[in-house]
Amino acid sequence: MENDENIENNSEKKTIWSMEILPQNISDVSFIPNFIKEIYITMIPGGAFKDTVDAAKYIQSIGKHAIPHLAARSFKGKEDLEECLRGINEAGIERSLLIGGGYSKPAGDMNCVMDLLVTNLFEKYGIKYLDFAGHPEGNPDDPNSEIHLLEKLNWAEENKISARIVTQWGFDTELTNNWISRLRKKGVVNPIHLGIPGPSTIKTLMRFAKVCGVSASATVLRKYGLNLSKLMFVNKPDKIIFDLQGYDQLHLYPFGGIEKSSTWLNEWRKKE
């Protein structure tokens, strides 16, 4: 599998970050620090893919790299996907994150990422690089998520496409570190970007944990100083990051808001 020549030891350089936003929060992009170069745009269940494409075009126009999510189960068919890719291509975008999508029922005949890949449309529309979702704590929508991740990475290697892994966020760093170690032992050398929950209250984190299938046991929360009795106290992810190992970049989910997350990122950068 792919080897990235730019991988360095985490402790020898400034942490490289990316951030994820919702299409409707595009007006808050101005808060994002200059050192954040890559911005991922979600494709929301029930939303129009045009919203994701329009947000991606705007991000490209201000000099950052837009990486739109492409959710397999959101497309009605190959024609729908092609229309989306055409819009992405017009913005000069060369990378996308491919996901199955949190849809209870597919909009068409595409049900998983492999269904997107076998269309062979990505090269046609200038997508040279792909990101695949990783789930250190497992994926409630896919009990075989690790096997399927390896299948996608193998497909990318066979088709000579550069691929990275961008993970779901989580609290359990020991489980995440073991997941990375397991992938490396299986021969995976693709860059791994770990998802980090931005500064937010316990109430907000618990809500997103339920939606994202993230384990949020009281034991794990207490380990990182997250007090279940203080629902409105804003928690920062510093200790979580400190305990993580073996990653190449970090990816921030700004659950507490883009402005608040950006302020914290600037503070984090000053301490490095």
Side-chain angles (χ1 to χ4, degrees), residues 4 8 22 33 35 49 67 77 79 107 109 111 114 132 137 154 174 188 194 208 211 213 224 231 245 256 264:
D4 189 330
E8 302 174 33
L22 300 172
F35 61 83
F49 66 74
I67 304 177
E79 296 77 14
D109 55 5
N111 190 51
M114 285 304 302
F132 299 126
E137 298 188 13
N154 283 326
E174 182 178 359
V188 175
L194 290 182
F208 279 104
V211 171
Y224 292 98
L231 292 179
Q245 301 171 0
W264 174 82

Side-chain angles (χ1 to χ4, degrees), residues 51-264:
D51 296 336
T52 299
V53 172
D54 288 346
K57 286 181 177 180
Y58 175 76
I59 290 168
Q60 288 285 113
S61 74
I62 61 173
K64 292 188 181 292
H65 299 295
I67 304 177
H69 290 203
L70 296 181
R73 290 191 281 275
S74 71
F75 296 107
K76 296 176 182 177
K78 188 173 180 179
E79 296 77 14
D80 223 13
L81 173 62
E82 193 155 13
E83 183 181 347
C84 180
L85 289 173
R86 191 176 296 114
I88 290 172
N89 178 256
E90 289 171 357
I93 294 169
E94 297 182 332
R95 181 186 294 277
S96 289
L97 170 66
L98 306 188
I99 59 175
Y103 299 71
S104 57
K105 183 179 179 181
D109 55 5
M110 294 184 181
N111 190 51
C112 64
V113 170
M114 285 304 302
D115 290 337
L116 295 176
L117 295 175
V118 298
T119 64
N120 294 317
L121 288 174
F122 294 98
E123 183 178 3
K124 177 180 178 180
Y125 288 98
I127 301 296
K128 300 176 181 177
Y129 314 101
L130 295 173
D131 291 345
F132 299 126
H135 296 86
E137 298 188 13
N139 182 354
D141 296 323
D142 180 6
N144 298 309
S145 60
E146 189 169 313
I147 293 173
H148 293 148
L149 173 60
L150 295 173
E151 288 177 351
K152 288 174 280 193
L153 293 174
N154 283 326
W155 183 94
E157 182 177 27
E158 290 169 1
N159 287 273
K160 297 180 172 53
I161 295 176
S162 176
R164 307 185 302 197
I165 302 167
V166 181
T167 77
Q168 180 61 274
W169 64 284
F171 297 115
D172 195 332
T173 57
E174 182 178 359
L175 189 152
T176 299
N177 291 340
N178 290 339
W179 177 82
I180 293 174
S181 178
R182 188 165 64 248
L183 287 183
R184 295 309 188 204
K185 288 177 181 178
K186 291 181 177 180
V188 175
V189 294
N190 303 70
I192 296 176
H193 299 187
L194 290 182
I196 302 294
S200 45
T201 65
I202 278 288
K203 185 177 181 179
T204 298
L205 288 173
M206 295 296 284
R207 176 163 55 88
F208 279 104
K210 185 176 181 180
V211 171
C212 300
V214 170
S215 173
S217 70
T219 301
V220 171
L221 293 175
R222 279 196 297 270
K223 179 181 178 182
Y224 292 98
L226 305 180
N227 192 330
L228 285 170
S229 67
K230 298 180 179 179
L231 292 179
M232 301 311 294
F233 179 77
V234 175
N235 299 277
K236 297 180 180 180
D238 299 57
K239 191 174 189 312
I240 293 175
I241 297 169
F242 181 78
D243 286 351
L244 289 168
Q245 301 171 0
Y247 60 86
D248 300 293
Q249 291 187 204
L250 296 177
H251 177 65
L252 194 71
Y253 292 85
F255 297 136
I258 293 174
E259 183 176 6
K260 185 183 295 181
S261 292
S262 297
T263 298
W264 174 82

Side-chain angles (χ1 to χ4, degrees), residues 40-56:
Y40 289 70
I41 310 98
T42 62
M43 187 169 281
I44 305 170
F49 66 74
K50 185 179 183 299
D51 296 336
T52 299
V53 172
D54 288 346

